[in-house]
Amino acid sequence: METLDLHPSRRAMLAGAGALTVGGYASIAEASSATEAAPLINPVVRQRADAQVFKHTDGYYYLTGSVPEYDRLIIRRSRSLAGFTTADETVIWRRPTQGKLGGYIWAPELHWFDDAWHMYFAAGDKDQPFRIRTYALRCDGPDALTGKWSLLGKVETPWDTFTLDSTSFVHKGVRYFCWAQKEPGIDTNSNLYLAPLATPTTLAKPPVRLTVPTLDWEIRGFKVAEAAAPLIRNGKVFIAYSASATDDRYCLGLLTADAEADLMSQASWSKSPVPVFVSSEETRVWGPGHNSFTVDEQGRDVLVFHGRDYKAIKGDPLFDPNRHTRVQRLYYKPDGTPDFGVPAGAGEIPDRFSPLDRPGAFLRYEGAGLSVGDGPLATTQLRQKAGPAGQVTLEPILQPGHAVRVVGGKATIGEAKPGDKAALFKRVKGLADAKGVSFQALDGGYLLHRDGAVVVGPAKDAKARAAATFLVS
């Protein structure tokens, strides 16, 4: 195995970074810590597509994904999500130079079960690089980076056809295997299937076909349902999946089953009629897809996905290297289903700010207006950008280059130029609750709301202090 340090210059740059964490600034206590956290900035890892991230019981995060050369399997390990940007990368396996598995190596996933590390991946053959099948590796020791990895073999499914993007999860004591495959007799590139595992490479029961791509957003360029990502929350089992060609048309769909239902019955599953995550011209992220789910250091759900910073691609999009690993927090709708919002663009991970005295409402922007209320998720997400002398600006993710500005005591959204004092705030501990935050304007007064309007004013009494305190999510 090899260990590669791919970003020595950025490692040095971040060594002295301020106390930024997921979603901007750390807490007051964290900021005063001797060990300051590096900022979590998108893209987190460049040129790593199909990224899978999870937090293991050893306290580490692990990341794997496809490399542009499609020739090896890699792992990064970090104590934090931000640490992946500068983490060393270990090559645990390289494809052979001839024969089986000598073709394209795609979409690895790392799992710990049966007291051992396992990695599933898709591989073609040297003379037929697109003859993709799914294989498994197992590590002989508890350390995935230093242990010896050996090939267990091909995962046996009912058909010897194009098979890829395999994942595994446990529900009610049963370990399931979920994958994409081309089924004979069905005119698609791939469908999604589910079955319990008997061994790492064999199924315990015949699979159930979860979905076939038939909707218009699933068949653009190619008829694709692939890259299943399970999430069990709020009494439901969700499986996000990717659809269509891997250019700007790539997007996420969502399958849902009740957590008490028989997951091996096709009737238990429903499919969203519309995609749940698509390219965004406003945030300048195209082709978001092949996701996974993890939690941040505070235990909040996080969406991991890849996307490009540009729309136009020359040649086959599979050979464009710039599908970068990105993360952002995952939220939920009132009915408990995931709200993916839009792919946040380059920069700090955005936050939502809920006034202490208005639970369920958030700072929200629409055009130049800023208010407190509810609306589409993206209109309630603001990025905390570091300014001079420890100050911050609040940037709406749908309006890059703009910020919350104070004009005549009223807060609006406007173009933010360097050094614009009207767009700078001092972030302090919440005036009414230390778990929250407050934003003090440079000329005094605090960002607060009055009957839904957002203004800057004094916070002299308990009511005003509550209106000027925001809980961050």
Side-chain angles (χ1 to χ4, degrees):
M1 293 185 295
E2 306 165 42
T3 299
L4 309 176
D5 187 354
L6 299 182
H7 302 280
S9 60
R10 188 158 188 192
R11 179 187 295 276
M13 180 185 74
L14 294 180
L20 289 165
T21 61
V22 173
Y25 279 75
S27 69
I28 301 300
E30 289 168 327
S32 62
S33 170
T35 302
E36 294 186 336
L40 178 53
I41 295 177
N42 275 323
V44 177
V45 182
R46 293 185 176 276
Q47 296 193 347
R48 293 297 177 264
D50 311 328
Q52 180 219 10
V53 173
F54 72 97
K55 191 172 186 179
H56 188 43
T57 54
D58 63 3
Y60 281 99
Y61 289 95
Y62 291 79
L63 177 148
T64 189
S66 298
V67 302
E69 299 81 8
Y70 301 136
D71 65 350
R72 63 192 184 273
L73 299 174
I74 57 92
I75 299 175
R76 294 188 187 206
R77 182 169 64 191
S78 173
R79 285 290 186 184
S80 67
L81 292 172
F84 280 132
T85 301
T86 54
D88 294 342
E89 188 167 278
T90 299
V91 178
I92 65 163
W93 184 86
R94 287 187 180 274
R95 68 185 179 190
T97 58
Q98 298 295 328
K100 290 287 185 184
L101 289 83
Y104 297 132
I105 307 300
W106 285 347
E109 280 216 6
L110 183 66
H111 296 275
W112 173 269
F113 60 91
D114 295 343
D115 295 322
W117 289 107
H118 297 79
M119 182 172 280
Y120 291 103
F121 65 101
D125 300 336
K126 179 65 176 179
D127 57 344
Q128 295 178 283
F130 284 100
R131 190 182 183 278
I132 300 293
R133 304 293 187 269
T134 292
Y135 299 86
L137 297 175
R138 183 163 58 199
C139 184
D140 68 356
D143 190 325
L145 303 187
T146 62
K148 181 180 179 181
W149 288 84
S150 58
L151 184 66
L152 289 180
K154 185 169 75 76
V155 176
E156 297 299 332
T157 63
W159 318 283
D160 184 26
T161 57
F162 184 83
T163 311
L164 74 166
D165 294 353
S166 300
T167 191
S168 180
F169 66 98
V170 174
H171 182 56
K172 292 188 175 299
V174 177
R175 175 162 291 279
Y176 289 93
F177 191 69
C178 190
W179 72 98
Q181 186 163 12
K182 180 175 179 61
E183 180 179 344
I186 299 180
D187 183 24
T188 59
N189 297 91
S190 60
N191 313 312
L192 288 185
Y193 298 87
L194 180 72
L197 276 177
T199 73
T201 58
T202 60
L203 309 179
K205 293 181 179 179
V208 59
R209 186 191 313 121
L210 296 181
T211 189
V212 174
T214 57
L215 302 177
D216 59 350
W217 52 270
E218 297 177 301
I219 60 173
R220 294 179 296 175
F222 295 98
K223 299 176 181 179
V224 167
E226 64 183 19
L231 178 70
I232 303 172
R233 293 288 187 272
N234 306 322
K236 303 289 184 181
V237 178
F238 303 105
I239 293 181
Y241 66 97
S242 298
S244 289
T246 56
D247 52 20
D248 63 287
R249 296 172 289 184
Y250 209 47
C251 61
L252 292 185
L254 189 68
L255 302 175
T256 304
D258 191 278
E260 300 302 320
D262 177 7
L263 300 189
M264 292 300 293
S265 170
Q266 191 179 56
S268 298
W269 295 91
S270 62
K271 177 163 64 175
S272 172
V274 296
V276 295
F277 202 52
V278 299
S279 296
S280 172
E281 295 280 348
E282 293 88 351
T283 65
R284 303 191 64 80
V285 178
W286 286 274
H290 203 121
N291 77 291
S292 61
F293 299 102
T294 188
V295 295
D296 67 12
E297 293 86 340
Q298 296 171 259
R300 298 173 296 189
D301 285 337
V302 168
L303 172 69
V304 182
F305 63 100
H306 73 230
R308 293 186 179 87
D309 294 321
Y310 49 84
K311 183 176 183 179
I313 299 171
K314 295 181 180 179
D316 189 329
L318 279 175
F319 301 107
D320 179 282
N322 294 314
R323 293 184 292 172
H324 306 316
T325 298
R326 306 163 189 269
V327 304
Q328 61 192 59
R329 285 203 292 276
L330 183 70
Y331 297 95
Y332 293 88
K333 299 176 182 178
D335 65 359
T337 59
D339 190 343
F340 292 80
V342 303
E348 296 84 350
I349 306 304
D351 295 300
R352 303 178 85 193
F353 300 93
S354 180
L356 186 65
D357 60 348
R358 287 282 305 277
F362 301 91
L363 283 181
R364 180 176 182 268
Y365 57 90
E366 186 172 2
L370 185 68
S371 61
V372 166
D374 197 10
L377 173 59
T379 68
T380 65
Q381 290 179 286
L382 296 148
R383 176 179 288 116
Q384 298 183 69
K385 298 181 69 69
Q391 297 155 353
V392 298
T393 62
L394 299 174
E395 179 186 81
I397 66 167
L398 295 180
Q399 299 182 41
H402 291 66
V404 175
R405 301 182 73 253
V406 180
V407 180
K410 184 179 179 181
T412 63
I413 303 296
E415 186 178 358
K417 298 180 180 179
D420 182 2
K421 293 184 178 180
L424 291 173
F425 296 90
K426 180 182 179 182
R427 175 180 165 142
V428 299
K429 186 186 300 183
L431 300 179
D433 188 331
K435 295 180 181 179
V437 297
S438 295
F439 296 98
Q440 186 177 24
L442 297 191
D443 59 355
Y446 295 88
L447 198 67
L448 52 82
H449 74 95
R450 293 174 182 159
D451 299 323
V454 181
V455 299
V456 170
K460 297 181 178 180
D461 56 30
K463 181 178 179 181
R465 288 192 290 273
T469 300
F470 299 91
L471 300 179
V472 183
S473 64

